[in-house]
Amino acid sequence: MAGRLPWSVPAVLGVIGGILLALGLPWGAAVLVAAAALALLDARPLLLVVALLGGGAGWLSAHTVLSRPEPLTPWLGAQVTLKGEWDGQFLTLAEPRARLAVSPKPTQGPGKMEVAGRLVDPQGRRTPGGFDQAAWLRAQGGLFVPTPGAVLVGARVKAHQPQGGLRGWFRQGLSAGLSERQAALMQAVELGDRSDISQEDFAPGYAVRDAFARAGLAHLMALSGQNVALITGVLVWLLIRAGAAPAWRYGLPAALLLPYLLLLVQPSPSITRAVIMGAAVLLALALGRGRPDPLGLIALAALACLLLFPLWLLDVGFQLSFLAVLALTQTPRVAERLPARWPHALRLAISATVLAELGTLPVVAGTFGQLPLVGLPANLVAGVIMAALVPLGFLAGLLGPLAAPLNMVGGLLASALLAVAETFGRAPVLTWGAIGAAGVVAYATALGAGWLWLLGRVRARAALGTLLAGLLLTALPGWLRPAREVVFLDVGQGDSTLIRLPGLTMLIDAGGSVGSDYDVGGRTVVPALRALGVRKLDVLVATHADTDHIEGVPAVLRALPVGELWVGHRKKGDPVLDAVLAEAQAQGVPVREVRRGDHVQAAGVTLTVLWPPGPSWQEEDNENSVALTLDSRGWRAAFLGDLAQAGEAQAGPGNLDLLKAAHHGSRHSSGEALLSQATPADTVISVGRNTYGHPHPDVLARLTQAGSRVWRTDQVGTIRWPVP
């Protein structure tokens, strides 16, 4: 092995180790040791120096980004009006020099924008499998790019001027003569701008982006090596046809890649990696040096990316991009294992698709909670369309408003790609929970066995046995010690409570967002359930017809198998409840109208309905809430929906160990009559940012007087409570 290791490999390992140490993660030292060990094994002392220098450079780069002050800090909490450049993702201000996120995201396209709202700190991960906004924003900053450190919430666009210049011209070409959905897809495919496609639905509850993800085609809407390869490939072919010398044939496309990255598309992990690798390959060919070593080239691209954007290391896009391209280096070996009678192009396409999926499996499964089962056929079909669509769309962008005739063909290709995503996106997916350290070790071991099989070092039987053993060992803990807990999901100003018991999984409500189009059920509750390893629900309870409790229920019904839907008052003509009942009917889920005394038992636990008594109903929806108690081995908890004080007292939950406070801590709930009867040791309040004054000071005072400890989701996020 001596002298065979590319210098960029220990260098990038050193950089990774330095970044991890700057982040306060001590196992970064292990990465530095690995870099040093590789250098010593290669018998080149100079590589050891390179590895150590890489470690110092990585630490310095990350420390510089992390220690940079946030210029908008003095205005946090204030109502402000800001003017800047909106790029579809962030608003960039000239003075002070800063970038920030905007919520809700403006529907207007990129350009100059004036927007008003309130500046707040970004939120961390509030639910299992949830989006860590603070970490994601922190990862978007670089040495020369400001880190978005604030969020403008309640945003209202006051003025907007569409983007001009090259990007504005290019966008006009991508939309000329196309429908809104086709144009939105083209902007995602050619520019990586998914803001418009995110607003498109194939059908109610069936978003275009979700269809691409379920079909295993989400990567098509993230600029990557495919875009660079197709565009430069066409340009190289044209230059060859024109008789250009090798220096021009490869040098000109290489020279155009940097302007393509900086002037047309925006730097992101996948496209930056692709541009660096593409430019290196083209320059090597132009100079007659042949193709660079794949591993060294990948390490060089990672080195450049991480020195400029050190916190990309924790970005999912960076991880997916580099894991996929590392896996693709084994494509020829896998293709050789496929039947020789198959066409060579087909063997390569199958091998590349399978390897990319296997290489990114732990990140995809752990981050998105699901694995597509139809990724191979979907990508084979979509790949043929993309081979024509990407270069044709790029040419349309260059033509600007004159591209309408060309887009007659481009529109057909875009529609074909959308049809592929819509069709394959309806296929089942394999749900997955959070992946821990044991899962990563099992995956790495199985991957190592597969690689040794490719090298001919072990037999297929041994590799398959290693895989099965890893699956068994990672599944054993859940089988041997199934969950017994109540999980109060942080869904903002709303309610969603999960009860997990051996033999019974119940979800009480699924949140909602009053006055907003944010899908709490699909974007918050479903990912949390998947991260917790919940693959089905025995019972889903819709407590009453309030948006903040049941608007998310249809998304849950679509995402997971549900045994029964429990409702109390089957109110007629309520649009939110009607949507719930319609989805239950569409999914074939039986609806049960529960009354006081109804109960279900599992694993020594009894869940009993306290309210409503029926058959008469109150005018206020809150007073018709389904309320339940949970009894387990002398331990008792109550979940009271939005009942007011009179309803709480009539329901009579008895003595409690844990109270789920009604109505988010409203002053009209958690009354003295209830608290004197229940004397709960602990009380959970599900609440978020609101203008209702929840939780009310009077309620907090009553709970304190009753000697009950208070736990609030707006302060601590999701709360997991063990059931004895």
Side-chain angles (χ1 to χ4, degrees), residues 516-606:
S516 170
D517 60 357
Y518 181 75
D519 182 5
V520 175
R523 300 299 178 192
T524 301
V525 177
V526 170
L529 296 177
R530 287 175 175 157
L532 291 167
V534 175
R535 291 180 170 81
K536 68 179 182 66
L537 293 171
D538 298 293
V539 179
L540 175 53
V541 183
T543 57
H544 63 293
D546 266 7
T547 298
D548 59 333
H549 285 251
I550 66 170
E551 186 183 48
V553 169
V556 177
L557 288 167
R558 286 190 293 268
L560 282 82
V562 175
E564 280 188 332
L565 174 67
W566 287 9
V567 299
H569 182 204
R570 197 162 182 163
K571 183 181 179 181
K572 302 294 184 182
D574 184 272
V576 183
L577 183 59
D578 285 348
V580 169
L581 297 175
E583 192 61 46
Q585 183 178 17
Q587 300 298 329
V589 177
V591 179
R592 179 179 176 186
E593 297 181 34
V594 294
R595 300 291 182 266
R596 183 200 292 269
D598 289 339
H599 65 277
V600 62
Q601 292 179 311
V605 177
T606 302

Side-chain angles (χ1 to χ4, degrees), residues 23-377:
L23 288 166
L25 301 173
W27 49 276
V31 180
L32 281 174
V33 170
L38 283 176
L40 293 174
L41 285 173
D42 197 61
R44 285 190 289 171
L46 185 58
L47 286 188
L48 178 60
V49 177
V50 169
L52 295 177
L53 287 175
W59 185 90
L60 181 61
S61 179
H63 178 74
T64 301
V65 172
L66 289 169
S67 61
R68 183 184 295 148
E70 169 53 48
L72 295 177
T73 298
W75 294 277
L76 288 176
Q79 292 285 339
V80 296
T81 298
L82 302 172
K83 294 181 180 179
E85 192 72 30
W86 171 248
D87 61 10
Q89 189 77 266
F90 300 112
L91 184 70
T92 301
L93 310 180
E95 186 59 41
R97 186 170 180 263
R99 289 198 302 164
L100 66 151
V102 179
S103 177
K105 186 179 289 187
T107 57
Q108 291 85 348
K112 297 185 183 303
M113 182 175 289
E114 181 179 350
V115 59
R118 183 163 62 94
L119 280 176
V120 299
D121 280 320
Q123 289 191 333
R125 180 175 283 110
R126 309 285 296 182
T127 58
F131 178 51
D132 190 337
Q133 185 186 44
W136 181 75
L137 290 177
R138 195 164 56 244
Q140 306 312 304
L143 282 180
F144 306 106
V145 178
T147 301
V151 183
L152 191 72
V153 298
R156 304 177 309 280
V157 177
K158 303 182 72 174
H160 176 254
Q161 180 182 341
Q163 189 177 53
L166 176 60
R167 286 179 181 165
W169 174 272
F170 200 89
R171 286 179 183 277
Q172 291 183 60
L174 295 177
S175 59
L178 297 179
S179 68
E180 288 187 7
R181 182 174 297 173
Q182 291 170 339
L185 177 67
M186 293 306 298
Q187 293 195 44
V189 168
E190 298 291 345
L191 295 174
D193 182 357
R194 290 165 288 193
S195 54
D196 287 346
I197 201 68
S198 297
Q199 301 172 36
E200 295 289 329
D201 295 324
F202 284 126
Y206 187 36
V208 171
R209 281 191 67 174
D210 289 342
F212 272 83
R214 291 175 63 90
L217 300 174
H219 62 95
L220 299 184
M221 295 193 293
L223 297 182
S224 64
Q226 184 180 45
N227 297 71
V228 172
L230 288 172
I231 294 170
T232 57
V234 170
L235 182 54
V236 168
W237 180 80
L238 290 173
L239 290 170
I240 291 174
R241 298 285 293 178
W248 283 99
R249 184 185 306 169
Y250 303 111
L252 180 60
L256 293 175
L257 282 177
L258 186 60
Y260 167 73
L261 176 66
L262 298 180
L263 300 180
L264 188 58
V265 302
Q266 298 172 2
S268 67
S270 57
I271 192 61
T272 305
R273 173 198 59 75
V275 164
I276 293 170
M277 293 181 64
V281 170
L282 290 169
L283 287 174
L285 292 173
L287 297 173
R289 302 288 297 273
R291 294 183 180 274
D293 173 76
L295 183 60
L297 182 57
I298 294 169
L300 178 66
L303 183 68
C305 287
L306 292 176
L307 286 177
L308 292 173
F309 296 90
L311 300 190
W312 273 1
L313 181 63
L314 305 181
D315 185 87
V316 172
F318 178 89
Q319 296 165 8
L320 290 175
S321 181
F322 278 91
L323 287 174
V325 76
L326 278 170
L328 290 175
T329 60
Q330 302 303 310
T331 299
R333 283 197 173 100
V334 174
E336 289 176 2
R337 297 278 183 159
L338 297 178
R341 64 179 181 275
W342 293 5
H344 184 63
L346 178 61
R347 284 187 285 146
L348 288 176
I350 292 174
S351 302
T353 301
V354 171
L355 282 168
E357 291 184 352
L358 288 177
T360 57
L361 187 149
V363 177
V364 171
T367 303
F368 305 109
Q370 61 182 22
L371 287 173
L373 297 176
V374 294
L376 178 57

